[in-house]
Amino acid sequence: MLCETKLGEIEVNEGKILLFEKGIPGFEHLRKFTIVELEQTKPFCWLTSLEDPTIAFPVVNPWLLRVDYSFELSEADKRDLKLESIEDVEVWVIVTIPQKAPNEATVNLFAPIVINVRKNLAKQVLLEGSEYKLKHRIDEELQRSNEILKKMRKE
């Protein structure tokens, strides 16, 4: 199906439509999204609303920035996502890019987007009690990950 989005008109395969049953915090009225990959913005993709053409969030695979990112999903989150297997999980984090200072871009590691790829259900989960914050500077996360990888190579 053809959809008008913030990124222009895109062709969306019905099997790639993600349902956020409770919406995304702050955008609860929007339920249908898709992940759009653009060659010119890789490795960043776009969590794009199929109901409001003005809404598209830049997202990235969190392990590209923080090699040791990990969390446990709550039982409630697993139920909401109807998860049966860890192999069905895909995780993205939302990126914030300040207009006047793109080098100060941050990622939200506290509230990842978790997708059940088998059922196309998605939810932004809150990692209560975790060390993660709403804003982690991308440059700092990359530096931290590089240091971890260097130590691992030496061992």
PDB file of all heavy atoms in Angstrom, residues 49-65:
ATOM      1  N   SER A  49       5.051   6.959  11.228  1.00  0.00           N
ATOM      2  CA  SER A  49       3.614   6.786  11.436  1.00  0.00           C
ATOM      3  C   SER A  49       2.916   6.618  10.090  1.00  0.00           C
ATOM      4  O   SER A  49       3.202   7.332   9.137  1.00  0.00           O
ATOM      5  CB  SER A  49       3.029   8.005  12.152  1.00  0.00           C
ATOM      6  OG  SER A  49       1.611   7.925  12.163  1.00  0.00           O
ATOM      7  N   LEU A  50       1.981   5.670  10.043  1.00  0.00           N
ATOM      8  CA  LEU A  50       1.170   5.484   8.845  1.00  0.00           C
ATOM      9  C   LEU A  50      -0.179   6.186   8.992  1.00  0.00           C
ATOM     10  O   LEU A  50      -1.012   6.123   8.097  1.00  0.00           O
ATOM     11  CB  LEU A  50       0.970   3.991   8.576  1.00  0.00           C
ATOM     12  CG  LEU A  50       2.268   3.210   8.358  1.00  0.00           C
ATOM     13  CD1 LEU A  50       1.979   1.729   8.150  1.00  0.00           C
ATOM     14  CD2 LEU A  50       3.052   3.778   7.177  1.00  0.00           C
ATOM     15  N   GLU A  51      -0.373   6.872  10.119  1.00  0.00           N
ATOM     16  CA  GLU A  51      -1.624   7.577  10.375  1.00  0.00           C
ATOM     17  C   GLU A  51      -1.461   9.094  10.397  1.00  0.00           C
ATOM     18  O   GLU A  51      -2.433   9.819  10.222  1.00  0.00           O
ATOM     19  CB  GLU A  51      -2.217   7.113  11.716  1.00  0.00           C
ATOM     20  CG  GLU A  51      -2.534   5.628  11.715  1.00  0.00           C
ATOM     21  CD  GLU A  51      -2.752   5.080  13.106  1.00  0.00           C
ATOM     22  OE1 GLU A  51      -1.845   5.220  13.958  1.00  0.00           O
ATOM     23  OE2 GLU A  51      -3.816   4.514  13.339  1.00  0.00           O
ATOM     24  N   ASP A  52      -0.240   9.576  10.631  1.00  0.00           N
ATOM     25  CA  ASP A  52       0.031  11.011  10.658  1.00  0.00           C
ATOM     26  C   ASP A  52       1.302  11.254   9.854  1.00  0.00           C
ATOM     27  O   ASP A  52       2.402  10.910  10.297  1.00  0.00           O
ATOM     28  CB  ASP A  52       0.209  11.489  12.100  1.00  0.00           C
ATOM     29  CG  ASP A  52       0.446  12.996  12.207  1.00  0.00           C
ATOM     30  OD1 ASP A  52       0.890  13.612  11.208  1.00  0.00           O
ATOM     31  OD2 ASP A  52       0.215  13.542  13.286  1.00  0.00           O
ATOM     32  N   PRO A  53       1.156  11.834   8.660  1.00  0.00           N
ATOM     33  CA  PRO A  53       2.324  11.993   7.780  1.00  0.00           C
ATOM     34  C   PRO A  53       3.402  12.936   8.315  1.00  0.00           C
ATOM     35  O   PRO A  53       4.472  13.029   7.734  1.00  0.00           O
ATOM     36  CB  PRO A  53       1.723  12.517   6.470  1.00  0.00           C
ATOM     37  CG  PRO A  53       0.411  13.095   6.835  1.00  0.00           C
ATOM     38  CD  PRO A  53      -0.067  12.349   8.045  1.00  0.00           C
ATOM     39  N   THR A  54       3.166  13.594   9.451  1.00  0.00           N
ATOM     40  CA  THR A  54       4.179  14.502   9.994  1.00  0.00           C
ATOM     41  C   THR A  54       5.065  13.833  11.051  1.00  0.00           C
ATOM     42  O   THR A  54       5.994  14.455  11.549  1.00  0.00           O
ATOM     43  CB  THR A  54       3.524  15.752  10.629  1.00  0.00           C
ATOM     44  OG1 THR A  54       2.775  15.346  11.784  1.00  0.00           O
ATOM     45  CG2 THR A  54       2.611  16.467   9.637  1.00  0.00           C
ATOM     46  N   ILE A  55       4.785  12.562  11.371  1.00  0.00           N
ATOM     47  CA  ILE A  55       5.506  11.898  12.461  1.00  0.00           C
ATOM     48  C   ILE A  55       6.435  10.800  11.935  1.00  0.00           C
ATOM     49  O   ILE A  55       5.995   9.853  11.293  1.00  0.00           O
ATOM     50  CB  ILE A  55       4.521  11.266  13.479  1.00  0.00           C
ATOM     51  CG1 ILE A  55       3.555  12.312  14.045  1.00  0.00           C
ATOM     52  CG2 ILE A  55       5.266  10.535  14.584  1.00  0.00           C
ATOM     53  CD1 ILE A  55       4.205  13.395  14.875  1.00  0.00           C
ATOM     54  N   ALA A  56       7.724  10.971  12.204  1.00  0.00           N
ATOM     55  CA  ALA A  56       8.734   9.949  11.912  1.00  0.00           C
ATOM     56  C   ALA A  56       9.877  10.154  12.900  1.00  0.00           C
ATOM     57  O   ALA A  56      10.413  11.252  13.016  1.00  0.00           O
ATOM     58  CB  ALA A  56       9.238  10.050  10.477  1.00  0.00           C
ATOM     59  N   PHE A  57      10.202   9.105  13.644  1.00  0.00           N
ATOM     60  CA  PHE A  57      11.266   9.173  14.641  1.00  0.00           C
ATOM     61  C   PHE A  57      12.521   8.500  14.108  1.00  0.00           C
ATOM     62  O   PHE A  57      12.453   7.358  13.652  1.00  0.00           O
ATOM     63  CB  PHE A  57      10.853   8.431  15.920  1.00  0.00           C
ATOM     64  CG  PHE A  57       9.581   8.922  16.546  1.00  0.00           C
ATOM     65  CD1 PHE A  57       8.399   8.217  16.374  1.00  0.00           C
ATOM     66  CD2 PHE A  57       9.565  10.081  17.301  1.00  0.00           C
ATOM     67  CE1 PHE A  57       7.222   8.654  16.956  1.00  0.00           C
ATOM     68  CE2 PHE A  57       8.393  10.530  17.886  1.00  0.00           C
ATOM     69  CZ  PHE A  57       7.213   9.815  17.716  1.00  0.00           C
ATOM     70  N   PRO A  58      13.681   9.171  14.182  1.00  0.00           N
ATOM     71  CA  PRO A  58      14.914   8.474  13.817  1.00  0.00           C
ATOM     72  C   PRO A  58      15.198   7.408  14.878  1.00  0.00           C
ATOM     73  O   PRO A  58      15.064   7.666  16.080  1.00  0.00           O
ATOM     74  CB  PRO A  58      15.975   9.572  13.810  1.00  0.00           C
ATOM     75  CG  PRO A  58      15.403  10.704  14.592  1.00  0.00           C
ATOM     76  CD  PRO A  58      13.921  10.555  14.589  1.00  0.00           C
ATOM     77  N   VAL A  59      15.555   6.217  14.430  1.00  0.00           N
ATOM     78  CA  VAL A  59      15.858   5.104  15.336  1.00  0.00           C
ATOM     79  C   VAL A  59      17.136   4.419  14.871  1.00  0.00           C
ATOM     80  O   VAL A  59      17.533   4.536  13.717  1.00  0.00           O
ATOM     81  CB  VAL A  59      14.696   4.072  15.407  1.00  0.00           C
ATOM     82  CG1 VAL A  59      13.460   4.681  16.055  1.00  0.00           C
ATOM     83  CG2 VAL A  59      14.367   3.494  14.046  1.00  0.00           C
ATOM     84  N   VAL A  60      17.742   3.682  15.820  1.00  0.00           N
ATOM     85  CA  VAL A  60      18.971   2.953  15.505  1.00  0.00           C
ATOM     86  C   VAL A  60      19.005   1.682  16.346  1.00  0.00           C
ATOM     87  O   VAL A  60      18.411   1.630  17.427  1.00  0.00           O
ATOM     88  CB  VAL A  60      20.222   3.845  15.747  1.00  0.00           C
ATOM     89  CG1 VAL A  60      20.432   4.139  17.219  1.00  0.00           C
ATOM     90  CG2 VAL A  60      21.467   3.261  15.102  1.00  0.00           C
ATOM     91  N   ASN A  61      19.722   0.691  15.851  1.00  0.00           N
ATOM     92  CA  ASN A  61      19.959  -0.526  16.603  1.00  0.00           C
ATOM     93  C   ASN A  61      20.853  -0.141  17.789  1.00  0.00           C
ATOM     94  O   ASN A  61      21.953   0.374  17.582  1.00  0.00           O
ATOM     95  CB  ASN A  61      20.663  -1.532  15.692  1.00  0.00           C
ATOM     96  CG  ASN A  61      21.076  -2.800  16.391  1.00  0.00           C
ATOM     97  OD1 ASN A  61      21.457  -2.807  17.554  1.00  0.00           O
ATOM     98  ND2 ASN A  61      21.019  -3.890  15.661  1.00  0.00           N
ATOM     99  N   PRO A  62      20.415  -0.380  19.027  1.00  0.00           N
ATOM    100  CA  PRO A  62      21.200   0.091  20.177  1.00  0.00           C
ATOM    101  C   PRO A  62      22.576  -0.549  20.303  1.00  0.00           C
ATOM    102  O   PRO A  62      23.505   0.069  20.830  1.00  0.00           O
ATOM    103  CB  PRO A  62      20.320  -0.259  21.380  1.00  0.00           C
ATOM    104  CG  PRO A  62      19.422  -1.340  20.901  1.00  0.00           C
ATOM    105  CD  PRO A  62      19.205  -1.083  19.439  1.00  0.00           C
ATOM    106  N   TRP A  63      22.755  -1.778  19.800  1.00  0.00           N
ATOM    107  CA  TRP A  63      24.037  -2.462  19.934  1.00  0.00           C
ATOM    108  C   TRP A  63      25.103  -1.886  19.006  1.00  0.00           C
ATOM    109  O   TRP A  63      26.284  -2.158  19.189  1.00  0.00           O
ATOM    110  CB  TRP A  63      23.864  -3.965  19.732  1.00  0.00           C
ATOM    111  CG  TRP A  63      23.117  -4.539  20.902  1.00  0.00           C
ATOM    112  CD1 TRP A  63      23.649  -4.885  22.117  1.00  0.00           C
ATOM    113  CD2 TRP A  63      21.723  -4.797  20.987  1.00  0.00           C
ATOM    114  NE1 TRP A  63      22.646  -5.336  22.947  1.00  0.00           N
ATOM    115  CE2 TRP A  63      21.451  -5.295  22.276  1.00  0.00           C
ATOM    116  CE3 TRP A  63      20.648  -4.656  20.095  1.00  0.00           C
ATOM    117  CZ2 TRP A  63      20.179  -5.659  22.700  1.00  0.00           C
ATOM    118  CZ3 TRP A  63      19.382  -5.014  20.518  1.00  0.00           C
ATOM    119  CH2 TRP A  63      19.150  -5.504  21.804  1.00  0.00           C
ATOM    120  N   LEU A  64      24.707  -1.060  18.038  1.00  0.00           N
ATOM    121  CA  LEU A  64      25.702  -0.369  17.212  1.00  0.00           C
ATOM    122  C   LEU A  64      26.401   0.723  18.017  1.00  0.00           C
ATOM    123  O   LEU A  64      27.516   1.126  17.689  1.00  0.00           O
ATOM    124  CB  LEU A  64      25.037   0.258  15.983  1.00  0.00           C
ATOM    125  CG  LEU A  64      24.488  -0.706  14.941  1.00  0.00           C
ATOM    126  CD1 LEU A  64      23.807   0.065  13.817  1.00  0.00           C
ATOM    127  CD2 LEU A  64      25.581  -1.609  14.396  1.00  0.00           C
ATOM    128  N   LEU A  65      25.720   1.214  19.063  1.00  0.00           N
ATOM    129  CA  LEU A  65      26.263   2.308  19.868  1.00  0.00           C
ATOM    130  C   LEU A  65      26.768   1.861  21.227  1.00  0.00           C
ATOM    131  O   LEU A  65      27.691   2.442  21.776  1.00  0.00           O
ATOM    132  CB  LEU A  65      25.186   3.378  20.075  1.00  0.00           C
ATOM    133  CG  LEU A  65      24.533   3.918  18.799  1.00  0.00           C
ATOM    134  CD1 LEU A  65      23.423   4.871  19.138  1.00  0.00           C
ATOM    135  CD2 LEU A  65      25.567   4.578  17.911  1.00  0.00           C
TER     136      LEU A  65
END
